[in-house]
Amino acid sequence: MPVGHPAGPVKLGIGDAKLQLDSVQTQKKNEVNPCCYFPCQHKGVCVRFGLDRYQCDCTRTGYYGPNCTTPELWTRIREALRPSPSFYHFILTHGRWIWNIINTTFIRDVLMRLVLTVRANLIPSPPTYNSDHGYISWESYANLSFYTRVLPPVPEDCPTPMGVKGKKELPDPEVLVTSFLLRKEFVPDPQGSNLMFAFFAQHFIHQFFKTSGKMGSAFTSALSHGVDLNQVYGDNPQRQYQLRLFKDGKLKFQMVDGEMYPPSVAETQASMRYPENVPEGHQMAVGQEVFGLLPGLMMYATIWLREHNRVCDILRAEHPSWKDEQLFQTARLILIGETIRIVIEEYVQHLSGYFLKLKFDPELLFGIQFQYQNRISLEFNHLYHWHPLMPDSFVVGDQEYSYEQFVFNTSMLLDYGVEALVDAFSRQRAGQIGGVRNINHHVLHVAISTIKESRELRLQSFNEYRKRFGMKPYTSFQELTGEKQKSAELEELYGDIDALEFYPGLLLEKSLPNSIFGESMVEIGAPFSLKGLLGNPICSPEYWKPSTFGGEIGFNLVKTATLQKLVCLNVKMCPYVSFRVPDPDQVDKQSVKRPSTEL
């Protein structure tokens, strides 16, 4: 393999990605790590030799040459035929009547299989890097305490934080966030996302985004790297036992005015994070110890508690000989399946805006190469900081709650009941995530800390991630944002578009037409999401069969799960429930607005 000699600043041009090199003498004088130039393209791996030499390992990239820039024949043909992300996004979001026909034919399955394989293949499996090892190592594979990484960290000895591009110091995080991300006026999501969607996102991701406060931001405290519903059942055996009833497979609960709610902390002795001013009688215990923070999270925790115990009743009627343990374990598998189906067919479907009807059918991947395992990556964790979804206040019935009134309001769930909260959150619009300044000042600190963490962990630039996920790098800040003033200010702060950081880039990128965020959030986020969902063991040929779920009745619960069923089968009156706000002219006769005393 040829040995490269980058001797000065490297400029990657569009299309040919050739290196424009200065003299070898300049490089030797400066002794800059050549891998700081990121010379290896198309997933090629840079290996340093001595002080001023490197090799690009182009194995199985489809490219060859000193910097993996020359395409092989089949790569050339494939690239010539492959549409751009913007093109296929346009196709998938236009021509509804054509897609209505396609969705009723075998073509839907063909396209869904293509979506799954193309997206999932972008995620390395087994994992390649972590924050301590920017090269292949056994530790990267075997140490589950680490978040894995798709791209290795920027080498520590580079001239600038992003390699060789940009200024020697990155912009002050508080100045950056205050100037470009702080909300001036609430911008609603044009896709109509609501707070039911926002709280579902939070409830869902807290099972696998669990950064370790003790070990640092490169580490996760999660024992599992996927969808296991530990936010319902607890993330360790001790917590699980504290929450289990050990009768009929069920979880502990308390009855209030004839309705089922999570048990108290006092009864379970399960630790929860409540401030001292919260009365002991208002402290409920669930799988995730932080869910007392927001009524929307405790609402979902209550719904899933009821669903688990409902499923246990169904299984017990079918299998009177089964003991508590088998009922519990089988019900958990069913709820995991229900979750994955709702996420793919409703949650991801809503986010995508596609007219192609997404389908949860693990059998689409049977018979092709697919690995049923998953590791949560640091990049996915940072990407999923969607705090612009949060509004400026929260409206339930005729009452408007400020952040101060809403946070740790443990009585709201009991005061209103599940139906009223579902109805209210389904009707209140969430904020647009990308392309606008839309983070409420109460949660601005999260964006600041995310940027600080990304610098501590030396995440590569936004453009490097675009290239890694098959997109062309931006050539200017104006191309990124689609306007002049903001782009000029960013140019002044960063000095070079190739020095723009990962998380700010995701939020600053202009959004797609009538979309909640920009192209990069879709193209980078979707592979992580779909690989994590379909890589779940229940989707494997060994698990995906009726006997896993207690027979055809349990299997059917998984295959027919919807958000509406999840809610309406666990409340007395079915409210308006959706991830999208109702149309303005829609008159919904099922709306609920009543206090808990009527339950």
Side-chain angles (χ1 to χ4, degrees):
M1 185 172 292
V3 179
H5 299 272
V10 177
K11 178 66 175 179
L12 301 179
I14 297 179
D16 58 11
K18 293 180 179 178
L19 298 177
Q20 306 298 321
L21 305 178
D22 293 334
S23 68
V24 175
Q25 290 75 17
T26 303
Q27 168 62 36
K28 289 182 176 179
K29 180 180 179 180
N30 294 335
E31 293 185 352
V32 174
N33 179 349
C35 293
C36 291
Y37 294 93
F38 304 110
C40 306
Q41 305 302 296
H42 305 108
K43 303 182 186 179
V45 179
C46 182
V47 181
R48 186 181 186 182
F49 291 87
L51 296 177
D52 62 345
R53 295 181 299 121
Y54 71 95
Q55 286 184 351
C56 288
D57 186 346
C58 307
T59 305
R60 286 183 292 277
T61 63
Y63 292 82
Y64 63 95
N67 300 301
C68 310
T69 56
T70 305
E72 298 171 356
L73 176 60
W74 288 112
T75 302
R76 195 183 301 274
I77 295 173
R78 185 178 65 250
E79 291 301 309
L81 297 176
R82 188 182 71 169
S84 67
S86 59
F87 176 79
Y88 64 69
H89 182 83
F90 178 86
I91 295 298
L92 288 166
T93 56
H94 289 77
R96 184 188 294 272
W97 68 273
I98 298 177
W99 287 108
N100 287 341
I101 297 174
I102 291 174
N103 288 331
T104 62
T105 69
F106 74 94
I107 300 176
R108 177 194 178 196
D109 286 356
V110 173
L111 293 177
M112 191 66 205
R113 184 182 296 109
L114 180 64
V115 168
L116 292 174
T117 53
V118 169
R119 295 292 197 193
N121 286 340
L122 288 169
I123 305 302
S125 185
T128 48
Y129 310 112
N130 63 33
S131 293
D132 276 2
H133 303 87
Y135 46 86
I136 297 293
S137 69
W138 185 254
E139 192 77 6
S140 297
Y141 166 75
N143 192 337
L144 300 183
S145 297
F146 277 102
Y147 285 117
T148 187
R149 294 177 69 147
V150 172
L151 288 179
V154 175
E156 291 183 292
D157 55 352
C158 292
T160 71
M162 289 295 129
V164 296
K165 299 294 183 69
K167 300 183 178 182
K168 291 187 179 296
E169 291 189 10
L170 291 168
D172 180 277
E174 295 191 21
V175 172
L176 182 65
V177 169
T178 302
S179 301
F180 297 97
L181 301 179
L182 175 62
R183 177 182 294 159
K184 291 183 177 179
E185 183 178 359
F186 176 72
V187 181
D189 169 33
Q191 290 181 226
S193 300
N194 55 25
L195 293 191
M196 194 68 180
F197 171 87
F199 289 130
F200 184 94
Q202 285 183 289
H203 188 274
F204 176 68
I205 65 174
H206 271 84
Q207 64 188 301
F208 45 77
F209 292 151
K210 306 182 80 170
T211 301
S212 174
K214 294 181 179 179
M215 299 178 67
S217 52
F219 298 88
T220 174
S221 61
L223 300 180
S224 171
H225 280 249
V227 179
D228 64 355
L229 267 60
N230 68 71
Q231 82 277 33
V232 176
Y233 301 105
D235 61 358
N236 61 74
Q238 178 184 358
R239 190 174 186 87
Q240 182 186 119
Y241 291 167
Q242 289 172 328
L243 296 174
R244 285 179 61 176
L245 187 62
F246 289 105
K247 181 181 179 182
D248 299 333
K250 294 184 177 182
L251 295 169
K252 290 178 181 177
F253 60 92
Q254 61 176 310
M255 300 299 293
V256 180
D257 294 329
E259 290 281 321
M260 183 184 296
Y261 290 94
S264 68
V265 170
E267 178 190 356
T268 62
Q269 296 301 305
S271 63
M272 293 288 292
R273 296 185 190 177
Y274 288 104
E276 294 181 358
N277 63 334
V278 175
E280 185 175 307
H282 288 177
Q283 296 183 16
M284 296 180 181
V286 296
Q288 170 54 265
E289 62 182 10
V290 303
F291 276 3
L293 174 68
L294 297 171
L297 298 178
M298 195 57 76
M299 173 199 72
Y300 269 113
T302 302
I303 293 170
W304 283 113
L305 165 68
R306 295 179 183 181
E307 177 66 3
H308 175 89
N309 288 352
R310 186 184 77 88
V311 169
C312 284
D313 285 335
I314 294 173
L315 291 174
R316 185 169 177 270
E318 283 288 300
H319 307 282
S321 65
W322 280 14
K323 296 181 180 180
D324 170 77
E325 184 68 16
Q326 188 167 7
L327 290 168
F328 171 81
Q329 297 293 350
T330 304
R332 181 172 186 171
L333 290 174
I334 290 173
L335 263 66
I336 290 172
E338 290 179 337
T339 298
I340 295 175
R341 187 175 195 271
I342 292 171
V343 170
I344 290 178
E345 296 198 2
E346 297 186 68
Y347 178 86
V348 176
Q349 179 78 64
H350 170 71
L351 273 178
S352 70
Y354 293 167
F355 291 151
L356 168 65
K357 191 175 180 182
L358 302 182
K359 184 178 184 181
F360 173 48
D361 183 0
E363 294 184 22
L364 293 174
L365 296 177
F366 292 178
I368 66 175
Q369 186 177 9
F370 191 80
Q371 297 191 28
Y372 293 95
Q373 60 175 333
N374 188 59
R375 285 285 296 277
I376 298 298
S377 80
L378 186 70
E379 294 95 342
F380 193 33
N381 184 10
H382 281 217
L383 173 147
Y384 230 119
H385 284 69
W386 289 355
H387 291 82
L389 286 171
M390 290 293 101
D392 291 328
S393 61
F394 304 85
V395 179
V396 181
D398 297 326
Q399 183 70 38
E400 183 174 2
Y401 295 87
S402 67
Y403 273 77
E404 291 79 7
Q405 295 170 319
F406 193 74
V407 172
F408 286 115
N409 188 333
T410 55
S411 65
M412 182 178 288
L413 179 62
L414 297 177
D415 290 343
Y416 286 97
V418 170
E419 297 100 317
L421 290 188
V422 167
D423 189 79
F425 295 151
S426 294
R427 295 178 183 278
Q428 184 172 356
R429 204 152 186 167
Q432 182 174 334
I433 295 173
V436 291
R437 300 178 53 159
N438 212 21
I439 300 182
N440 182 278
H441 69 93
H442 285 95
V443 291
L444 201 65
H445 66 280
V446 182
I448 294 172
S449 63
T450 302
I451 293 172
K452 289 181 178 179
E453 285 182 6
S454 72
R455 295 176 182 183
E456 175 190 342
L457 299 169
R458 306 195 314 281
L459 262 67
Q460 290 189 31
S461 72
F462 180 60
N463 261 346
E464 289 299 321
Y465 279 101
R466 279 184 60 83
K467 289 189 290 183
R468 172 59 178 76
F469 284 87
M471 296 171 281
K472 290 183 178 181
Y474 285 115
T475 58
S476 69
F477 285 99
Q478 187 169 338
E479 185 184 11
L480 168 82
T481 65
E483 54 78 73
K484 293 183 178 180
Q485 180 177 346
K486 188 193 305 183
S487 60
E489 295 172 359
L490 288 168
E491 179 84 37
E492 176 65 25
L493 286 175
Y494 280 101
D496 195 306
I497 184 63
D498 287 332
L500 177 64
E501 299 165 271
F502 178 62
Y503 181 64
L506 289 168
L507 292 190
L508 291 167
E509 182 182 36
K510 60 183 179 296
S511 65
L512 294 165
N514 299 313
S515 178
I516 193 170
F517 36 49
E519 175 185 74
S520 299
M521 191 79 81
V522 176
E523 297 300 314
I524 299 175
F528 285 121
S529 179
L530 293 176
K531 176 63 173 72
L533 293 166
L534 272 299
N536 193 284
I538 72 160
C539 300
S540 68
E542 291 298 321
Y543 280 58
W544 189 251
K545 57 186 70 172
S547 56
T548 300
F549 306 98
E552 289 293 345
I553 288 183
F555 204 19
N556 193 55
L557 290 175
V558 173
K559 294 192 287 186
T560 61
T562 66
L563 178 68
Q564 186 173 41
K565 281 187 177 181
L566 174 65
V567 172
C568 293
L569 291 176
N570 291 293
V571 295
K572 292 182 178 179
M573 292 177 59
C574 187
Y576 172 71
V577 51
S578 175
F579 287 143
R580 187 189 304 272
V581 294
D583 295 332
D585 57 348
Q586 179 179 344
V587 178
D588 187 69
K589 296 180 180 180
Q590 291 182 310
S591 67
V592 174
K593 185 177 68 175
R594 57 192 179 88
S596 61
T597 53
E598 296 181 22
L599 294 177

